[in-house]
Amino acid sequence: MNTANDATEQPMVRFDGVTKSYGALTVLDDLRLDIGRGEKVAIIGPSGSGKTTVLRMLMTLERINDGVIWVDGEPMTHMEKGGRLVPADPRHLRRVRAKVGMVFQHFNLFPHMTALGNCIEAPITVLGLSRREAEERAAELLDLVGLADKKEHYPAQLSGGQQQRVAIARALAMRPKVMLFDEVTSALDPELCGEVLQVIRKLGSEHDLTMLMVTHQMGFAKEFADRVCFFYQGKICEQGNPQDMFAAPQNERTRQFLRAVMDSV
Amino acid sequence: MGLYSLSAMLLAAVVAIAIMAVSETFAIFVPGLLQGAWLTLQIALLGCVLAVTMAVLAALARLYGPLPLRWLANTYVEVFRGTSALVQLFWLFFVLPHFGLTLEPFTVAVVGLGLNVGAYGAEVVRGAILGIVPGQWEATVALNMTRWQALRRVILPQAFVAMIPPWGNLFIELLKSTALVSLITLGDLAFRAQQMNQTTMKTIPIFTLVLLMYLVMSLAITICMRLLERRATRGLARGRSA
Ligand SMILES: Nc1ncnc2c1ncn2[C@@H]1O[C@H](COP(=O)(O)OP(=O)(O)O)[C@@H](O)[C@H]1O
Ligand SMILES: [Mg+2]
């Protein structure tokens, strides 16, 4: 049995030999990756290398074919039964995934609810908060993302950058321990990226959140992340702290990729 | 057509009926026909309620139900779409009693037409639910909602908007098919008209009145659905045709 102490020494997220395939196509092959508590990890790599799939598996949006994903010291994709790990039932999955939140490339806000409505929906229906508690929490978070004055706006009345900031507030309202960001600025006009990245920066400094983000913005990754993982064809090809990796990538593929990305800017 | 033109048409039809109701030659037909229209309206409204209920249940069962329920819903939809409403009414009215279940003609009318239109509506509901982009479902998973919570709070309210126009069509279909109930001994609008026509032979005024009365009811349905649509799309406005 784990004591509380043991739990805090374990990584926040552990991919333990995780494999994911679509039919004959193996998208992730025996992924082994530990993410520490409060660690900020940037995932980079060419299109189709499996970055999104890593986040989606952790959000339980994809089933995995092999291996186990651990969150906060307990298995998420599996549960213990008679001393063995068996595939998790929906109840177990829901209980563990409560620790994970996600922000999507295309925001996925609920279009029929206001910014505030989006942020109080799940806290009320899922966490059972009273409307007042939920509204207080939502107001605080909308303030954090700089949208205190847009509470009553519907998504269609907000710019892309504002919508994405509402989506961040909505995810935070569930008080996750791990936040996943999947290319959250790539659907935005360039001049709107800054305000979203600013919010993420703020989260990084104010919150003891574990953050996992897929990004194409190497500048931001370099400044923000504790660690960068370079994915190539479903495997982690190289990882390390951003300064070293961007200055002197060890792997030829990483070098090629970074050169291509830098050239395109 | 816009709401204003629809309302103008409705008003014109009502005024025309009112004028006929006070004119010497036509006045005698109006009370009888209105009685028939009232019965038609009752059958249509209750039929609509049943149709929507059945459509939602059948669509949810087909999409998310366990296998036996899915099978049951499939059977319901295929049987009621694949046979004519008239045959269904006759079956409920003339055949069911042989199995020991005798229903009032009014009940048969509501149940028959409601089930019939509900079968078409099930496809409307299912299509609208499937039309919601996967990203909406994924957001509900990321917020740790259950499937039922997601349906109730996120998916169905959005699907509802897409369903309104096709439901408007189905409601009007239902209204028109109420004319069939005269064949199971009910004195609806169509039945009264035929009866008066046979005894008085005043075909033109009678069927003009009948036409106007059906028109009033269907215009009222169209206008209600438009208002509902306008209400439901509030906030979603940008990027959609208003
Ligand atoms: N639902 C799916 N069915 C089949 N193949 C998929 C599906 N989703 C992703 N893939 C494939 O998996 C690979 C990795 O995809 P993804 O994780 O989205 O890559 P990235 O985010 O790094 O661009 C790609 O080759 C993609 O075509
Ligand atoms: Mg991707």
Side-chain angles (χ1 to χ4, degrees), chain A residues 66-265:
Chain A
D66 200 9
V68 181
I69 299 176
W70 299 69
V71 174
D72 202 8
E74 64 178 329
M76 175 172 75
T77 52
H78 294 69
M79 54 191 196
E80 268 176 54
K81 212 171 208 174
R84 291 188 330 136
L85 285 183
V86 298
D89 62 21
R91 251 189 69 208
H92 176 85
L93 219 53
R94 271 194 88 220
R95 190 173 61 73
V96 183
R97 85 170 173 217
K99 297 176 181 175
V100 185
M102 182 160 178
V103 182
F104 300 88
Q105 186 174 350
H106 297 286
F107 330 139
N108 298 355
L109 287 179
F110 304 139
H112 58 304
M113 297 179 189
T114 61
L116 186 74
N118 267 279
C119 295
I120 64 175
E121 180 55 42
I124 292 174
T125 50
V126 177
L127 303 180
L129 261 58
S130 75
R131 174 168 273 276
R132 245 202 52 197
E133 288 171 306
E135 281 181 359
E136 275 170 20
R137 187 184 283 195
E140 236 167 71
L141 289 166
L142 285 171
D143 193 35
L144 176 81
V145 301
L147 292 173
D149 56 336
K150 302 282 190 225
K151 271 186 220 162
E152 301 307 325
H153 285 56
Y154 284 91
Q157 301 165 320
L158 298 172
S159 74
Q162 291 169 334
Q163 290 188 52
Q164 193 58 296
R165 286 186 280 151
V166 173
I168 293 173
R170 177 177 73 173
L172 289 173
M174 296 301 283
R175 302 259 160 97
K177 294 187 168 183
V178 185
M179 276 280 275
L180 312 178
F181 298 85
D182 188 13
E183 294 194 34
V184 293
T185 57
S186 35
L188 299 177
D189 293 334
E191 74 270 19
L192 299 178
C193 294
E195 63 190 51
V196 173
L197 295 179
Q198 195 53 44
V199 165
I200 296 176
R201 240 178 240 122
K202 203 147 116 188
L203 283 183
S205 58
E206 286 183 17
H207 289 254
D208 186 27
L209 259 185
T210 305
M211 293 164 84
L212 199 55
M213 82 180 62
V214 173
T215 182
H216 282 302
Q217 283 169 306
M218 299 305 141
F220 184 72
K222 192 170 179 177
E223 144 212 1
F224 182 77
D226 302 317
R227 177 160 46 132
V228 178
C229 295
F230 173 67
F231 274 74
Y232 190 83
Q233 292 186 346
K235 283 182 186 298
I236 297 178
C237 198
E238 181 170 351
Q239 57 177 315
N241 78 56
Q243 283 72 26
D244 295 347
M245 196 157 140
F246 287 118
Q250 298 300 303
N251 189 295
E252 180 51 31
R253 303 240 185 254
T254 322
R255 241 171 281 156
Q256 273 173 7
F257 173 74
L258 288 177
R259 212 177 306 132
V261 178
M262 296 311 174
D263 283 351
S264 73
V265 176

Side-chain angles (χ1 to χ4, degrees), chain B residues 9-240:
Chain B
M9 269 176 81
L10 178 65
L11 190 67
V14 170
V15 168
I17 294 172
I19 291 172
M20 290 172 94
V22 294
S23 82
E24 263 170 58
T25 34
F26 305 146
I28 41 160
F29 303 120
V30 173
L33 289 179
L34 276 180
Q35 265 182 350
W38 172 232
L39 184 67
T40 293
L41 189 66
Q42 283 176 299
I43 294 170
L45 287 180
L46 290 174
C48 287
V49 172
L50 180 65
V52 172
T53 313
M54 287 306 294
V56 172
L57 290 178
L60 291 181
R62 289 181 91 178
L63 284 170
Y64 310 113
L67 202 60
L69 216 57
R70 225 181 304 163
W71 189 80
L72 191 73
N74 282 339
T75 310
Y76 159 63
V77 171
E78 292 312 328
V79 166
F80 277 81
R81 283 199 316 170
T83 60
S84 81
L86 182 65
V87 174
Q88 289 156 24
L89 286 176
F90 278 8
W91 204 87
L92 290 174
F93 194 64
F94 297 116
V95 179
L96 267 193
H98 291 291
F99 295 98
L101 184 61
T102 307
L103 299 172
E104 293 292 315
F106 182 79
T107 313
V108 169
V110 170
V111 169
L113 297 179
L115 289 180
N116 180 265
V117 173
Y120 289 93
E123 285 302 280
V124 168
V125 175
R126 199 170 81 109
I129 291 175
L130 291 176
I132 302 297
V133 293
Q136 291 291 306
W137 281 104
E138 291 172 1
T140 68
V141 171
L143 292 168
N144 211 15
M145 297 167 86
T146 63
R147 187 154 72 177
W148 175 239
Q149 288 168 340
L151 262 176
R152 197 166 49 82
R153 302 289 306 168
V154 175
I155 304 302
L156 283 178
Q158 290 182 66
F160 179 71
V161 179
M163 284 183 226
I164 297 173
W167 269 116
N169 290 336
L170 286 178
F171 288 159
I172 288 174
E173 282 302 316
L174 199 156
L175 172 70
K176 290 190 292 187
S177 59
T178 52
L180 295 173
V181 304
S182 56
L183 299 169
I184 53 166
T185 77
L186 282 169
D188 74 313
L189 183 52
F191 177 84
R192 301 254 176 184
Q194 278 160 5
Q195 210 180 26
M196 285 180 192
N197 189 41
Q198 270 159 22
T199 51
T200 67
M201 302 303 261
K202 293 263 198 276
T203 307
I204 295 175
I206 292 171
F207 281 102
T208 304
L209 270 168
V210 168
L211 187 137
L212 287 171
M213 287 180 183
Y214 274 119
L215 186 62
V216 165
M217 290 191 272
S218 70
L219 281 173
I221 291 174
T222 305
I223 290 171
C224 286
M225 298 307 278
R226 286 292 173 81
L227 290 174
L228 197 62
E229 194 180 358
R230 182 186 277 194
R231 233 193 100 96
T233 48
R234 240 185 351 203
L236 306 177
R238 208 162 77 172
R240 289 183 199 225

